[in-house]
């Protein structure tokens, strides 16, 4: 209100006759009183209260509310914070400092924090029909299903006999725990009644052969050595570096499971997953799972699941078993395991890999380690849809002397030819997005 109004104007505004004379002091007093009148404030808006029209807004207590339709009612929503804008002060001359008086510290400006955006919920895939659409939920779906199974079951692993060379220093020395976690993940599946583990370094190769010969029959050793190309122990070692690494699992026809495990002298700093595999029990879990794969099919069929299914299955199981209670570590290993090599593949490459691979064959233009790391991504997607038991079910199906394609349809409910482009498109997109 402009206080510079004339006395006559003020007479009109307060309803006094023009002829009535008032003193200047009285008029000034009335003017001040009129300016001090307080009008009642609009009632505060609250979430859930009724409103009149969709889309109208109202502000209250630092929040902006919008009228929305909830069922058949119009109500105010929960409101969003109104960002405060601090005024920019005008430039003023800076006074010269006084030598006798210390200047008072300038108070810091109050910064209103920006609300953190709510992340979109992760939707878990349930079938091949929604696998690509809900691809961001593959890891969580596979991990949750499997973690719950491990937590709910107890190990039923058979006897475990571990022999370590006199000069060998394993990086992980709790074999029973790694084995028990795999056993708990596949509680409804058969397991070997006896497992013999031979761990050796390069200087213990002779010791390893002598020890194994003393644990199995001569015929069994001959069969094993022939099946390994005459390199049961040396096949995992390099003469130039005098180092052994990697492992092999075989099951004798007596049912005894053998794990031949080379132990390197040092870790390869250029291998981003070597420390995880050797120091956490992953390698032990990987090899023991191979024994479970063999039980439903060994001696029943000459045709086995594809190489990527075999090694990718063990690669996924080792990560799942060891990290069953830590989803963050589970995801970190996946990214480290397949980040670089898988990232070089196009969607067309992945289709070719799936179409041309078979039980003992990886297309020559592909790195064989893709059977492990890329294979693990395929297995994870299958587990997300059907659960971990489906990985063993494929072996049981093929133990009936049917083809991989037939076993796949029986296990996952779709034709393998139908699944290939969906898996390729899904995995390519996840790898491109950083997994």
């Amino acid at each position: 209100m402009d206080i510079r109004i004339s006395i006559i104007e003020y007479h009109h505004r307060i309803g006094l006759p023009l002829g009535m004379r008032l003193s200047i002091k009285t008029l000034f007093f009335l003017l001040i009183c009129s300016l001090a009148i307080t009008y009642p404030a609009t009632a505060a808006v609250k979430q859930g209260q009724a409103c009149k029209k969709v889309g109208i807004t109202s502000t209250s207590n630092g929040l902006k509310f919008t009228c929305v339709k909830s069922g058949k009612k119009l109500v105010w929503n929960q409101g969003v914070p109104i960002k405060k804008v601090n005024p920019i002060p005008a430039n003023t001359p800076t006074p010269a400092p006084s030598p006798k008086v210390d200047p008072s510290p300038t108070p810091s400006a109050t910064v209103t924090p920006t609300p953190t955006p709510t992340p979109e919920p992760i939707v878990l895939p349930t079938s091949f029909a929604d696998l690509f659409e809900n691809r961001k939920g593959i890891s969580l779906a596979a991990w949750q299903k499997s973690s719950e199974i491990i937590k709910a079951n107890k190990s039923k692993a058979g006897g475990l006999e571990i022999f370590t060379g006199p000069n060998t220093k394993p990086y992980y020395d709790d074999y029973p725990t790694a084995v028990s976690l795999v056993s708990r993940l596949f509680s409804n599946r058969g397991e070997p009644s006896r497992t013999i583990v031979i761990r050796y370094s390069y200087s213990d190769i002779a010791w390893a052969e002598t020890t194994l010969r003393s644990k199995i029959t001569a015929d069994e050793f001959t069969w094993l050595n022939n099946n390994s190309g005459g390199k049961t122990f040396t096949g995992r070692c390099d003469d130039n570096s005098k180092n052994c690494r990697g492992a092999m699992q075989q099951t004798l026809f007596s049912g005894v499971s053998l794990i031949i495990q080379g132990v390197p002298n040092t870790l390869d700093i250029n291998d981003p997953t070597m420390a995880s595999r050797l120091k956490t029990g992953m390698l032990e879990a990987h090899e023991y799972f191979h024994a479970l794969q063999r039980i439903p099919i060994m001696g029943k069929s000459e045709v086995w699941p594809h190489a990527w299914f075999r090694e990718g299955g063990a690669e996924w199981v080792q990560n799942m078993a060891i990290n069953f209670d830590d989803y963050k570590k589970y995801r970190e290993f996946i990214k480290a395991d397949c980040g670089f090599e898988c990232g070089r593949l196009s969607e067309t490459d992945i289709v070719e890999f799936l179409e041309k691979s078979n039980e003992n064959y990886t297309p020559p233009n592909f790195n064989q380690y893709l059977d492990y790391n890329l294979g693990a991504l395929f297995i994870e997607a299958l587990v997300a849809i059907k659960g971990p038991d489906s990985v063993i079910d494929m072996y049981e199906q093929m133990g009936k002397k049917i083809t991989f394609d037939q076993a796949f349809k029986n296990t996952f409910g779709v034709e393998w030819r139908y699944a290939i482009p969906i898996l390729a498109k899904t995995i390519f997109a996840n790898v491109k997005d950083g997994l």
Side-chain angles (χ1 to χ4, degrees):
M1 181 177 185
D2 191 347
I3 64 172
R4 295 172 296 179
I5 58 176
S6 68
I7 295 175
I8 293 177
E9 289 175 333
Y10 189 69
H11 281 163
H12 284 293
R13 296 189 186 186
I14 63 176
L16 293 177
L18 292 176
M20 185 179 293
R21 294 186 175 272
L22 295 176
S23 68
I24 296 300
K25 290 184 178 181
T26 302
L27 286 173
F28 187 77
F29 173 76
L30 291 174
L31 177 60
I32 295 300
C33 290
S34 68
L35 292 174
I37 295 174
T38 302
Y39 293 92
T42 303
V45 172
K46 294 184 180 179
Q47 179 183 356
Q49 285 184 338
C51 54
K52 295 182 178 181
K53 184 178 179 182
V54 172
I56 62 174
T57 60
S58 180
T59 57
S60 179
N61 295 325
L63 298 176
K64 181 179 180 181
F65 296 86
T66 302
C67 185
V68 297
K69 188 172 183 180
S70 176
K72 295 183 178 181
K73 298 180 180 181
L74 298 181
V75 296
W76 295 111
N77 68 357
Q78 63 183 6
V80 296
I82 300 173
K83 186 175 180 181
K84 296 180 181 180
V85 179
N86 294 323
I88 301 175
N91 292 330
T92 57
T94 303
S98 172
K100 296 181 180 180
V101 181
D102 292 333
S104 300
T106 303
S108 301
T110 302
V111 179
T112 303
T114 302
T116 303
T118 303
E120 294 183 7
I122 296 177
V123 181
L124 308 184
T126 58
S127 67
F128 278 97
D130 67 358
L131 185 66
F132 177 77
E133 178 184 359
N134 299 326
R135 61 190 180 276
K136 293 303 180 184
I138 289 176
S139 284
L140 185 59
W143 184 85
Q144 282 184 340
K145 289 179 180 180
S146 304
S147 179
E148 291 172 1
I149 292 173
I150 293 175
K151 292 175 182 177
N153 291 296
K154 295 182 179 180
S155 172
K156 59 182 185 356
L160 190 61
E161 303 170 29
I162 304 170
F163 302 93
T164 306
N167 302 300
T168 303
K169 297 180 180 180
Y171 292 90
Y172 177 81
D173 209 15
D174 190 8
Y175 228 108
T177 294
V179 167
S180 69
L181 289 170
V182 176
S183 176
R184 289 160 60 185
L185 180 57
F186 299 97
S187 59
N188 296 324
R189 294 296 179 173
E191 297 185 55
S193 59
R194 181 188 179 199
T195 298
I196 298 174
V197 180
I198 307 291
R199 300 188 295 188
Y200 63 100
S201 59
Y202 188 85
S203 58
D204 288 331
I205 292 177
W207 167 89
E209 181 172 336
T210 300
T211 301
L212 182 59
R213 283 181 179 276
S214 69
K215 303 301 176 184
I216 61 178
T217 67
D219 288 342
E220 288 174 330
F221 185 87
T222 298
W223 173 85
L224 177 66
N225 206 39
N226 290 340
N227 204 40
S228 304
K231 298 180 178 182
T232 300
F233 294 99
T234 59
R236 265 139 293 287
C237 302
D238 176 59
D239 291 332
N240 293 326
S241 63
K242 299 187 183 305
N243 204 29
C244 299
R245 55 180 295 177
M248 173 188 72
Q249 189 280 331
Q250 285 285 358
T251 299
L252 304 176
F253 285 99
S254 63
V256 174
S257 172
L258 301 177
I259 298 177
I260 310 300
Q261 184 174 330
V263 179
N265 300 322
T266 59
L267 297 178
D268 183 355
I269 60 174
N270 296 316
D271 185 339
T273 63
M274 190 174 189
S276 295
R277 287 185 281 110
L278 296 189
K279 290 185 174 183
T280 64
M282 282 192 183
L283 178 62
E284 289 74 10
H286 182 115
E287 298 305 326
Y288 186 72
F289 178 66
H290 279 319
L292 273 62
Q293 290 173 317
R294 293 179 187 277
I295 290 176
I297 196 173
M298 189 171 177
K300 299 177 182 178
S301 175
E302 297 300 321
V303 182
W304 289 43
H306 296 172
W308 65 260
F309 197 96
R310 178 179 67 252
E311 294 301 346
E315 189 82 356
W316 176 79
V317 166
Q318 69 178 23
N319 183 19
M320 183 63 238
I322 300 304
N323 292 317
F324 79 98
D325 60 349
D326 195 326
Y327 181 65
K328 181 180 179 181
K329 288 184 178 179
Y330 170 84
R331 290 285 297 144
E332 287 173 349
F333 182 81
I334 291 175
K335 292 179 180 181
D337 198 28
C338 204
F340 175 73
E341 192 64 38
C342 296
R344 300 171 61 183
L345 303 175
S346 67
E347 184 176 338
T348 302
D349 291 333
I350 299 176
V351 170
E352 180 185 354
F353 180 87
L354 291 172
E355 287 180 339
K356 294 184 177 180
S357 296
N358 60 37
E359 72 171 296
N360 291 314
Y361 177 78
T362 301
N365 52 320
F366 293 97
N367 187 322
Q368 284 194 335
Y369 196 68
L370 289 172
D371 286 335
Y372 295 77
N373 50 22
L374 181 61
L377 296 184
F378 298 144
I379 294 296
E380 183 187 48
L382 298 176
V383 172
I385 295 173
K386 293 289 289 185
D389 203 53
S390 62
V391 182
I392 296 292
D393 195 42
M394 280 289 292
Y395 287 84
E396 184 173 311
Q397 289 289 325
M398 294 190 71
K400 300 174 184 179
K401 297 183 178 181
I402 62 177
T403 66
F404 179 91
D405 292 24
Q406 292 172 319
F408 190 90
K409 184 176 182 179
N410 292 347
T411 303
F412 299 102
V414 299
E415 299 283 352
W416 173 232
R417 301 296 302 178
Y418 168 81
I420 287 176
I422 296 177
L423 282 172
K425 180 180 180 181
T426 299
I427 299 307
F428 172 74
N430 274 351
V431 171
K432 185 178 179 181
D433 292 341
L435 299 177

